[in-house]
Amino acid sequence: MSHVEELQLQDIYALMNERHSVRSYDPTFKISREEMTEMLELSATAPSSSNLQPWRFLVIDDADLKQKLLPIANNQQQVIEASAVIAVLGDLRSFEQAEAIYSKSVEGGFMTEEIKQGFVERLQKTYGGLPPERLHLINTFDAGLITMQLMLVAKAKGYDTVPMGGYNAEKFAEAFELPETLKPILLLAIGKAAKPAHSTPRLPVEQVTYWNTFK
């Protein structure tokens, strides 16, 4: 391993150890939309099922809308204190983007047009034939991947986050007039911490890891 690779690993380890969920934010600090967009772009390198990238984001940075969200999110104060709340949504029709996504693979020389066409047809048939509940489960898995990446990107840029599952998804969808094809998965508050976060205990890895068998 080179010296550069060792430094990069140290940076990753530091980010992972320094990232903690923060629930108290400086309400006067605002992250620009330009920087927010940059963080989302960096996070979008996360993997996803069949590379369909089913995540969609609703970034709520308007004070009145955050106030509207507050009771839906069980009155968690970070909703109004954070610079923004990012609603991570899953698109039940993400497979319709397969043609656009895999056409870029053809342009990059990684796939022939013939192979792409067959692959896209299979994807659209497979995913299009799944019930909404199964698609939402797949999207939830993919949303977890990109959200974790987003939290690390935010920490690398000096910001803090807290993922929130404690909210009423049905009321959120109604209040923010989501299309039927977009389903809420989680909320992520992001901003500048008002006070340092503290680490929380973790179970020993030996307690949660098994090798080859549970016996």
Side-chain angles (χ1 to χ4, degrees), residues 10-215:
Q10 289 173 4
D11 290 341
I12 293 171
Y13 293 157
L15 281 176
M16 293 170 67
N17 286 322
E18 292 172 7
R19 187 219 61 80
H20 304 296
S21 292
V22 168
R23 291 177 174 80
S24 180
Y25 292 87
D26 178 356
T28 67
F29 185 84
K30 301 300 177 187
I31 299 174
S32 71
R33 291 189 175 185
E34 180 182 18
E35 192 167 21
M36 195 76 75
T37 299
E38 180 189 7
M39 287 190 284
L40 291 170
E41 286 176 343
L42 289 169
S43 303
T45 60
S48 61
S49 305
S50 300
N51 195 32
L52 291 178
Q53 306 156 54
W55 44 70
R56 305 292 181 262
F57 306 104
L58 178 63
V59 183
I60 303 168
D61 60 2
D62 177 83
D64 290 339
L65 290 179
K66 288 194 290 182
Q67 196 69 50
K68 179 181 181 179
L69 175 58
L70 185 62
I72 296 172
N74 298 327
N75 295 309
Q76 298 179 76
Q77 197 64 18
Q78 62 263 26
V79 167
I80 56 176
E81 289 181 346
S83 295
V85 174
I86 302 173
V88 184
L89 317 170
D91 188 350
L92 297 179
R93 307 293 295 179
S94 62
F95 58 86
E96 293 177 350
Q97 297 297 318
E99 175 71 33
I101 291 170
Y102 284 97
S103 288
K104 294 184 183 298
S105 294
V106 175
E107 292 171 11
F110 307 115
M111 184 180 285
T112 66
E113 177 65 29
E114 182 180 5
I115 291 175
K116 180 216 71 175
Q117 199 57 45
F119 195 60
V120 167
E121 287 175 4
R122 287 193 298 274
L123 281 179
Q124 292 179 338
K125 181 178 179 180
T126 299
Y127 284 86
L130 293 176
E133 296 79 12
R134 175 60 179 160
L135 286 171
H136 185 60
L137 186 62
I138 294 170
N139 291 351
T140 299
F141 175 83
D142 292 340
L145 296 174
I146 195 169
T147 300
M148 187 69 250
Q149 194 141 303
L150 177 54
M151 289 190 286
L152 291 174
V153 168
K155 190 62 186 175
K157 293 178 72 64
Y159 302 126
D160 287 287
T161 56
V162 59
M164 296 178 286
Y167 72 102
N168 189 310
E170 291 75 19
K171 288 184 178 179
F172 180 90
E174 181 182 354
F176 290 89
E177 300 179 339
L178 298 189
E180 280 295 315
T181 56
L182 297 184
K183 300 300 179 183
I185 295 176
L186 63 89
L187 304 178
L188 184 73
I190 180 170
K192 184 71 72 173
K195 55 184 178 182
H198 61 85
S199 60
T200 52
R202 294 293 189 268
L203 292 171
V205 70
E206 294 81 7
Q207 189 174 333
V208 298
T209 304
Y210 301 85
W211 301 90
N212 299 318
T213 178
F214 283 93
K215 294 182 180 179

